[in-house]
Structure formats: C-alpha cells, structure tokens
Amino acid sequence: MTSGDKFTWFRWLCTAFGLLFHLGDTGSDFMLSVQYFRSGHLTWAILTLVFVLAGSVCIQAFSYAWFKDDKENYEEDDKGLSTCHLIGIHVLQIGIFTRYFHLLKKSFKALRSRQEEQSQIICLATDLSMLRMFETFLESIPQLVLQAYIILEHNHRSNLQYISMALSFLTIAWATVDYRRCLRQSLTHLKNMRSGIPTVVYLSYKIFTITPRILSLTLFIMLSTFSTVTMACIWLLGTTWAFLEETSFCTSRALEYLYRAIVGVILIFTFFNIKGENTRVHMTLYYIFNVCHNLAAPILLFLLKPESKRTDYFLPIIFFILVSNLMGLGFLGLYYSLLHPRGPDRVDGMDEIDGLEHELKTTRLQRFLQI
C-alpha cells in the first residue's frame, strides 16, 4: 500500500470535519423547522423535518444491516454490540454517529501507535462514505430545492435559511469528494485512480450538473406544485431501471428494494453507474434529457407565468442554468475522456490493501454506485 492509500492524520481531521458538517447540516435544518413553526408556516416546517427524518431513517436501516452483516469481523472490543444494542442506537437515529465514533477512535489509536490497521479503518470509512452519499441525495439536495422554492416563490428569507443551504451545499461537495477518495482506496480492481486534478474535475462535473438541476426543479415547482408529479415519474423511471438492471447491493430483498428506490431518487439529480458496466449510452441519453428538462423550466416559467420576468432573480437564474449546464457537461467530457479509471482489470504490481477482511467491504462497494 502506498502512503497515499493509507489513513493519515489529514484524513482523520477530514473525518472530524465531516462529522461537524453533518451535525451542522442536521442541526440547522431542525432549527429552521422550529423557526418556520414559530412563524406560522406549518407546511414548510413539516417538509423540512420530513426530508431530515426520511434521510435519517433510510441510512439507519442500511447502517444496522451492515453492522449485522459484518459482525463476525468485529474485533473483541466490538463484540459487545448485541442485537438489542444495535437496534437501540439505530432506533434513536444515532447509528451514523456511532460509526463516526468508531472510525475516529480506531484511526486515532492506530495513527498514534503507528499500528497497521489500515484495512479495517478504510472499511469503516467506506461504509460511512456510502451512508453519507445516501443522506446527501435524500436530505441535503431535496432540502436545497425546498429552501430555494421558499426564497424565490414566497420571498421569505432569513439568515438561518442561508446557513442551512450553505451547509447542505458543503455536505454535497464533501460527500462527493469523500466517496471518490474511498472508491480510490478500496477498489483494487480498478486501474490507479489518481487524486488531485481528477478529484477536482469530478467534483466540478457533479456540482455544475446538480446545481442547475436543483434550480430548474425549483422553477418547475414555482410554475405549478403539480410538477412534482413529473418528478415522481422521473423517480419511477430510475427505480424501474434499477429493477431491470437487477442490482445486488443488499443481502436482504426488502433492503434491496429500498436501495433501488433510493437509486431512483438519486437519478432525479445526477447520473451514477449502478452496475459497474459500460453505460455510455445510458449516460448520454440521461444528460440529453437532463439538459433539455433544465432549460425547459425557465422557458415555461416565462411563457406561462410572464410576471416572473420582472423579478430580480429571473435573468440571473436563466444565465446560471445555461452556463452551469455547459460547464458541467464540459467537465463530464474531460473526466470521462481523460481522467476516468479505465478497464475492469487490476494493474499488475498494484498494491492491495493489507488483510483479507477488506474483501467483504470491497464486494459491497463494487455493488454500490460507481463513478
């Protein structure tokens, strides 16, 4: 294993910052829902809480299942995690905090004593990264759509809204970079996935395609709340594709169905390879539809709600959607033409992460969303 593949002190600090972002994002959303409730906006308060709880419940379900699946690989000091204990911490919605605590504790001990426990630490980091990806698309991004709608349509603004949106945006960027880092460290069958510039380009591709998606969906909801039916249809198409692809991410059938439904939600906002196969045609069709749908939002708003053109946000949003889509597609083309790890075969001489324990987590990550 190269030094770049090890869990370093810098990575430990990044994990600690990730926990702070998670706490800040969740905490600001709860505070925002209280603010809405106190000001009489009950619907906004409920929706803000629904997105927080929906994301939390889903990731707790996967976290519990993974704890159960991996129990035979625990070290002696972790075997005290009985079934009742596991159920309790996940019912209380603190499973992800338990994972953060275990990762920070074990990595701190390993780094301080310079022990080689890299395989287990990277496994813990990988599981946490996958859970954060779920949370990003189930909570942070829908929350941005909701808050953008409240600001633009109802002209309701507060500092707490801006703080909540900023933290959600940081969470999206952080989860994207962290997942790519974990993928690079964990999947030894890939060719050497470099960090640095490829990570910046990949992050730019995701940010500049997800952000106009958020704005365009917001404009559609401003045009008519019935546009959520269209979003539901897009979700249904994505979920159906996941079923047709026969994903095999989970050991439980019920959890696999939940995973496919979550994939449908993710595909509303961005594209991921859900089977690790060649999806060039799927991706091309996806982004053709995506861009057309994004550009249709301001056009329809202009035609069907002409008073919107007199607002101070209309022209800047049109300009941003257009430019951001072009930049996102440019970074997408750059990444997949020059910087994407090619080929399913492992490069000869590539160092494997020490330990056989890593194979279970590698299998899980191989069946997860691929970049």
Side-chain angles (χ1 to χ4, degrees), residues 117-145:
E117 298 179 5
Q118 294 293 325
S119 84
Q120 186 184 31
I121 292 172
I122 290 177
C123 287
L124 292 172
T126 300
D127 280 352
L128 190 56
S129 177
M130 289 189 285
L131 292 172
R132 291 304 305 273
M133 283 294 288
F134 279 146
E135 184 188 39
T136 294
F137 288 96
L138 292 175
E139 193 270 325
S140 298
I141 294 180
Q143 201 71 257
L144 280 174
V145 175

Side-chain angles (χ1 to χ4, degrees), residues 261-308:
I262 293 174
V263 167
V265 175
I266 293 173
L267 290 174
I268 294 175
F269 303 103
T270 191
F271 184 87
F272 276 101
N273 187 339
I274 63 176
K275 286 280 284 185
E277 300 171 350
N278 188 342
T279 55
R280 181 177 300 177
V281 174
H282 298 85
M283 179 181 286
T284 301
L285 293 175
Y286 175 88
Y287 279 110
I288 289 174
F289 169 81
N290 189 287
V291 171
C292 291
H293 195 244
N294 289 349
L295 295 178
I299 294 173
L300 290 175
L301 193 67
F302 175 81
L303 295 175
L304 302 179
K305 201 174 181 181
E307 64 272 17
S308 62

Side-chain angles (χ1 to χ4, degrees), residues 97-164:
F97 296 108
T98 303
R99 288 183 174 276
Y100 265 115
F101 174 75
H102 281 178
L103 176 58
L104 290 171
K105 176 184 174 183
K106 289 181 180 296
S107 57
F108 182 83
K109 288 172 61 177
L111 290 169
R112 191 175 182 182
S113 61
R114 297 183 180 181
Q115 295 175 352
E116 291 295 330
E117 298 179 5
Q118 294 293 325
S119 84
Q120 186 184 31
I121 292 172
I122 290 177
C123 287
L124 292 172
T126 300
D127 280 352
L128 190 56
S129 177
M130 289 189 285
L131 292 172
R132 291 304 305 273
M133 283 294 288
F134 279 146
E135 184 188 39
T136 294
F137 288 96
L138 292 175
E139 193 270 325
S140 298
I141 294 180
Q143 201 71 257
L144 280 174
V145 175
L146 174 62
Q147 302 311 323
Y149 168 77
I150 292 171
I151 290 173
L152 296 178
E153 177 68 5
H154 298 278
N155 199 29
H156 184 284
R157 295 174 171 87
S158 70
N159 291 332
L160 190 54
Q161 276 179 297
Y162 293 131
I163 291 172
S164 174

Side-chain angles (χ1 to χ4, degrees), residues 52-70:
V52 174
L53 293 177
S56 180
V57 169
C58 287
I59 64 174
Q60 301 302 324
F62 284 100
S63 177
Y64 172 76
W66 297 350
F67 267 126
K68 293 288 290 182
D69 291 343
D70 303 344

Side-chain angles (χ1 to χ4, degrees), residues 137-194:
F137 288 96
L138 292 175
E139 193 270 325
S140 298
I141 294 180
Q143 201 71 257
L144 280 174
V145 175
L146 174 62
Q147 302 311 323
Y149 168 77
I150 292 171
I151 290 173
L152 296 178
E153 177 68 5
H154 298 278
N155 199 29
H156 184 284
R157 295 174 171 87
S158 70
N159 291 332
L160 190 54
Q161 276 179 297
Y162 293 131
I163 291 172
S164 174
M165 293 176 72
L167 287 170
S168 293
F169 195 82
L170 284 172
T171 298
I172 296 168
W174 195 271
T176 301
V177 171
D178 187 60
Y179 178 64
R180 189 185 186 281
R181 183 194 297 117
C182 286
L183 195 71
R184 174 176 173 263
Q185 289 179 327
S186 301
L187 297 186
T188 56
H189 73 286
L190 291 176
K191 291 188 176 182
N192 187 24
M193 190 187 294
R194 295 169 294 165

